[in-house]
Amino acid sequence: MKNLCASYLATSMLLLTSGPVFSAESANKADNPEFVRKAALKIDTYVAGWYRQKKLPVPDVTDDATFLRRAFLVGIGRVPTAEEGLFFLEIDDENKRTELIDYLLNSPGYASHMTNWMFDLLRITDEMDDVYSGRNPYRAWAADAVAENMRWDELTTKLLSTSGSLWKEDQAAVGYYLRDKGMPLDNLANSMQIFLGTQMECAQCHDDPFGETERHDFYELAAFTEGQNYVPLAGKIRPLFDESRLEENRGKPKSAVIDMIRYQILEQTLVGGGSGRIKLPMDYQYRDAQPGELIGGRTPFGKTVRMSDRSSSDDGRKKLAEWVTTKTEGQFEAVMANRLWQRVMGRGIYEPISEYVPAKDTNLPGLMNYLTELMVELDYDLKTFQKILLNTKTFQFVPNPNPAKVQNGDDFHGRQLTRLSAEQIWDSLITLAGGNPDKKPRRTLDDRAHTRQAGIIPGKTMAQITDEVLKLKTTAELDAYCDELTALLGGSGKRKKGGDDSMMMTQEIRSYGKGAQVRASELPSPAPNDHLLFLFGQSVRDTVNGANTEPNVGQVLTLMNGFVQDQLVNNPNAHIYKSLEGASSPTEKVRRLYVGILSRPPSDEEMSWMMDEVKISGDTDDAYRNILSALVMSSEFLFLQ
């Protein structure tokens, strides 16, 4: 290991003084091993410079077992199966770490794990104001965007600028605004935190006493999104929704159809591209403007973008998206680069990650600048960016059990111990219980036409009804259309069975309840209060990155008496037990348990302890159940090294 570390430092120092690490002509960088290798080495160059500057010893590179578990948990959010672990540990190939990274990032597990992370960042939930659990097209759109590796700048642009219907596949990103319906200022504050690492929520009410943002700045920025709304119940359509008409149909199937059209279609269709003008609140308290004064949009930093206060426009949100992604002088790229550094390395280059720090003020300005440039060079490809980080020697350093030597950021001296996220724990437990969970299919969007009281309208999707409703011009036309849909219900108010068309549309629908042993990304989100995910701190998605890893009594109880005991310890069909089949001796069984659970073989001392347990229990199933229970409840299983 010492020779490897010395070679690392020497090679990195040589590279630091050399020219560019890659050619600008590289076509597909994700598939270019030489590009990935040189970019990773460039990162190691800056970290090596840190050691020289601080006169610190270079950490050892970790052993295969620690790397195996770390790469799986960081790359795809679960521990390896016993089979995957044994294969990696026993193979003799100098390139096996690089090949493992490729295997992980090309597997469905990457998308699943990254989906959890993206949902936390964007506060995505299954339910969303009159859209029933499990039927949120915005959630499905975001999951597909991650699976397809949509570029970060493209995804951001769609979130900030899309208008239209939630139920249209190419417009489902409107869910980003509809998720905060009636709270556009809160949505804007969250947007600034997510995309630009800027805290502006205080400026909704007053000048920020801890920062530079003034209340006037906030409202100038809010002008870009002002005027967005859902399809109003106005004009010739409104009479159908008057109380007298609603009362006339109350309790009838037609009432359920009317409710569906109002709450699930019209109020889930976003109109208004951003007027660029906004009135200051009536409690505005500063001398630079008057309460209620109409002001135009203006960006607070980066390249200035203005909108007129004299006339309304309809492209404010597009201009906002363009400013965020292209005119903030590297801040957009740097914020995501730092978020991904924290995701892979355990700590951000600066922290907290939602409060942007210019590269010159970080502990390692050269590295921060390079990562920002790399994000642009990769065309905002988040998967390839992480692939490069995973291939660095910095990622492979031995764990660091000591507190960070620097405040507010990474000290680049080995990964510090962190407890697994709730999703990592769940996904690892179901791996032990059922084997590779990535073999199970993803859930799909149920876009059938659901009414709240009368069930499903056969032969219709929500997208079809949306198209048809938005073409209607008069109350009479809408009234007649509601009668048509009611007739499809059979007039009974109950779900209609049968029909080839109905069956054709439902055969591909796939969903999972809270008790299903599938990846956390496929379960109801967020999980209910009695689920292991909730108990271990899964975010309820009210705030950006709202998950926590704080311990509580419920965690202990669920490990001792809940899922672990029911589905693992006392389940003879658990996958981890199947991995013991064919073992030639008790010591081989113990070794397989260790590799399957902790991704490493036991030490000699641990093997001695386990053999004592086997002898006491007479080499029965009880012995291996006790060993499994002890290993799963250990800190080593629950923490990432």
Side-chain angles (χ1 to χ4, degrees):
M1 285 294 183
K2 290 183 179 179
N3 290 336
L4 181 58
C5 293
S7 174
Y8 159 79
L9 187 58
T11 304
S12 296
M13 286 297 95
L14 177 63
L15 186 59
L16 188 61
T17 61
S18 66
V21 299
F22 50 81
S23 167
E25 298 176 355
S26 297
N28 189 343
K29 298 177 177 62
D31 298 325
N32 185 338
E34 186 65 9
F35 169 81
V36 172
R37 184 189 70 81
K38 288 186 175 181
L41 189 55
K42 186 73 171 180
I43 291 170
D44 289 333
T45 295
Y46 288 104
V47 176
W50 168 265
Y51 299 138
R52 288 174 63 89
Q53 175 188 343
K54 299 297 181 180
K55 299 181 179 179
L56 294 170
V58 179
D60 287 337
V61 172
T62 191
D63 58 46
D64 279 347
T66 303
F67 175 82
L68 167 69
R69 190 170 191 270
R70 183 186 296 176
F72 262 84
L73 286 166
V74 172
I76 64 173
R78 65 169 175 87
V79 296
T81 64
E83 295 80 7
E84 289 168 327
L86 287 169
F87 179 81
F88 179 82
L89 294 176
E90 294 176 355
I91 193 173
D92 185 15
D93 184 344
E94 63 179 9
N95 296 318
K96 68 179 184 179
R97 295 192 179 194
T98 299
E99 292 171 357
L100 175 64
I101 293 167
D102 290 343
Y103 165 76
L104 295 175
L105 296 189
N106 290 324
S107 75
Y110 166 79
S112 173
H113 188 38
M114 190 68 179
T115 294
N116 294 327
W117 185 83
M118 191 67 73
F119 281 11
D120 275 2
L121 181 63
L122 300 178
R123 302 174 302 124
I124 295 176
T125 60
D126 272 21
E127 294 192 24
M128 190 177 71
D129 190 23
D130 295 309
V131 177
Y132 312 142
S133 179
R135 299 189 59 243
N136 184 349
Y138 171 48
R139 181 211 175 282
W141 175 86
D144 287 344
V146 171
E148 295 163 6
N149 195 30
M150 183 182 291
R151 301 303 196 255
W152 179 237
D153 60 335
E154 180 185 357
L155 192 149
T156 300
T157 297
K158 288 180 181 294
L159 293 174
L160 294 178
S161 65
T162 298
S163 295
S165 170
L166 182 68
W167 295 101
K168 301 291 288 183
E169 186 176 356
D170 61 342
Q171 300 169 7
V174 297
Y176 180 73
Y177 286 108
L178 293 173
R179 184 245 180 275
D180 295 317
K181 188 185 295 183
M183 301 184 294
L185 299 183
D186 291 323
N187 180 278
L188 177 65
N190 281 315
S191 295
M192 292 299 289
Q193 181 181 346
I194 292 167
F195 303 117
L196 295 175
T198 301
Q199 304 282 351
M200 297 186 73
E201 53 269 24
C202 290
Q204 292 187 52
C205 301
H206 52 75
D207 292 353
D208 187 351
F210 305 106
E212 300 179 356
T213 306
E214 297 181 353
R215 195 179 190 192
H216 197 274
D217 297 332
F218 183 84
Y219 276 88
E220 285 181 322
L221 192 61
F224 287 90
T225 64
E226 179 68 3
Q228 56 172 307
N229 207 337
Y230 48 81
V231 174
L233 304 177
K236 297 178 181 179
I237 289 180
R238 183 176 181 84
L240 187 64
F241 299 97
D242 287 343
E243 284 300 318
S244 60
R245 296 293 298 275
L246 292 175
E247 189 61 36
E248 176 185 329
N249 291 296
R250 199 169 304 281
K252 301 177 182 178
K254 185 173 180 178
S255 175
V257 172
I258 293 173
D259 281 352
M260 178 195 69
I261 290 175
R262 175 174 182 172
Y263 295 112
Q264 294 192 63
I265 293 178
L266 297 181
E267 295 194 6
Q268 305 301 334
T269 301
L270 189 72
V271 296
S275 66
R277 300 196 299 168
I278 193 171
K279 285 185 177 181
L280 291 173
M282 296 309 296
D283 65 349
Y284 190 79
Q285 66 273 53
Y286 300 105
R287 295 180 179 179
D288 56 353
Q290 297 297 316
E293 181 179 336
L294 192 64
I295 62 173
R298 182 178 183 274
T299 53
F301 53 83
K303 294 180 180 179
T304 301
V305 177
R306 298 176 183 271
M307 298 194 73
S308 173
D309 61 352
R310 298 184 179 181
S311 61
S312 294
S313 180
D314 195 40
D315 61 351
R317 291 196 286 119
K318 289 184 178 179
K319 290 183 176 180
L320 175 65
E322 182 182 5
W323 172 72
V324 167
T325 57
T326 67
K327 298 181 179 180
T328 54
E329 299 176 341
Q331 187 164 330
F332 173 70
E333 297 85 358
V335 167
M336 178 49 70
N338 191 51
R339 288 190 185 279
L340 294 181
W341 183 274
Q342 184 205 52
R343 173 175 162 80
V344 173
M345 302 295 184
R347 285 178 63 87
I349 292 177
Y350 62 81
E351 292 198 348
I353 57 173
S354 290
E355 295 182 19
Y356 169 70
V357 175
K360 63 182 178 62
D361 297 326
T362 64
N363 294 313
L364 205 45
L367 175 60
M368 191 69 248
N369 279 326
Y370 175 67
L371 294 175
T372 302
E373 295 167 3
L374 182 62
M375 181 65 71
V376 177
E377 178 70 19
L378 292 172
D379 194 23
Y380 304 90
D381 180 343
L382 303 188
K383 181 189 284 190
T384 302
F385 189 92
Q386 292 176 86
K387 181 177 182 177
I388 290 169
L389 297 186
L390 289 166
N391 274 280
T392 61
K393 286 295 186 291
T394 303
F395 175 73
Q396 300 181 45
F397 286 155
V398 294
N400 183 1
N402 302 312
K405 299 182 184 299
V406 299
Q407 292 184 340
N408 303 323
D410 198 347
D411 65 0
F412 313 104
H413 210 66
R415 189 186 189 95
Q416 294 186 313
L417 301 180
T418 54
R419 206 212 72 188
L420 302 183
S421 69
E423 291 85 354
Q424 287 172 322
I425 292 173
W426 171 260
D427 288 348
S428 295
L429 289 174
I430 65 169
T431 299
L432 298 179
N436 185 352
D438 299 321
K439 293 181 179 180
K440 296 180 180 179
R442 289 174 54 198
R443 61 190 273 189
T444 58
L445 174 65
D446 182 358
D447 66 344
R448 293 172 295 175
H450 285 249
T451 65
R452 189 182 298 274
Q453 303 96 345
I456 297 170
I457 299 175
K460 289 287 187 180
T461 67
M462 295 299 288
Q464 289 172 341
I465 293 179
T466 297
D467 281 340
E468 292 163 0
V469 165
L470 294 180
K471 292 177 182 177
L472 304 177
K473 303 298 183 183
T474 68
T475 301
E477 289 176 348
L478 183 57
D479 201 6
Y481 184 72
C482 289
D483 287 336
E484 291 178 18
L485 296 183
T486 303
L488 290 175
L489 285 169
S492 65
K494 297 180 181 180
R495 178 173 174 173
K496 184 177 179 181
K497 297 182 180 180
D500 293 340
D501 194 26
S502 175
M503 293 303 294
M504 178 186 69
M505 289 193 302
T506 62
Q507 61 184 357
E508 295 300 326
I509 295 172
R510 186 183 306 108
S511 62
Y512 298 103
K514 69 174 185 178
Q517 288 190 33
V518 292
R519 297 288 296 243
S521 61
E522 308 307 310
L523 289 173
S525 177
N529 294 1
D530 59 347
H531 198 280
L532 183 145
L533 284 165
F534 177 84
L535 294 172
F536 276 89
Q538 183 189 53
S539 172
V540 296
R541 311 270 164 78
D542 288 334
T543 58
V544 176
N545 295 131
N548 73 83
T549 56
E550 297 299 317
N552 59 60
V553 174
Q555 296 169 7
V556 178
L557 294 177
T558 197
L559 289 176
M560 294 179 64
N561 303 305
F563 182 91
V564 171
Q565 300 302 316
D566 294 339
Q567 300 299 325
L568 282 177
V569 177
N570 297 320
N571 178 13
N573 295 316
H575 183 81
I576 187 65
Y577 289 136
K578 293 181 180 179
S579 70
L580 305 185
E581 295 175 359
S584 58
S585 65
T587 57
E588 177 60 17
K589 290 182 179 180
V590 170
R591 189 179 80 90
R592 292 188 185 184
L593 282 177
Y594 262 79
V595 172
I597 299 169
L598 302 181
S599 306
R600 66 170 178 85
S603 66
D604 291 342
E605 185 177 27
E606 288 171 327
M607 181 62 81
S608 176
W609 296 338
M610 297 305 113
M611 285 299 98
D612 288 342
E613 173 63 29
V614 171
K615 291 176 182 177
I616 291 172
S617 302
D619 192 20
T620 63
D621 291 343
D622 287 342
Y624 303 106
R625 290 195 191 100
N626 292 339
I627 293 171
L628 184 152
S629 182
L631 295 181
V632 169
M633 294 184 65
S634 68
S635 295
E636 186 174 349
F637 178 77
L638 296 173
F639 279 74
L640 175 59
Q641 298 186 62

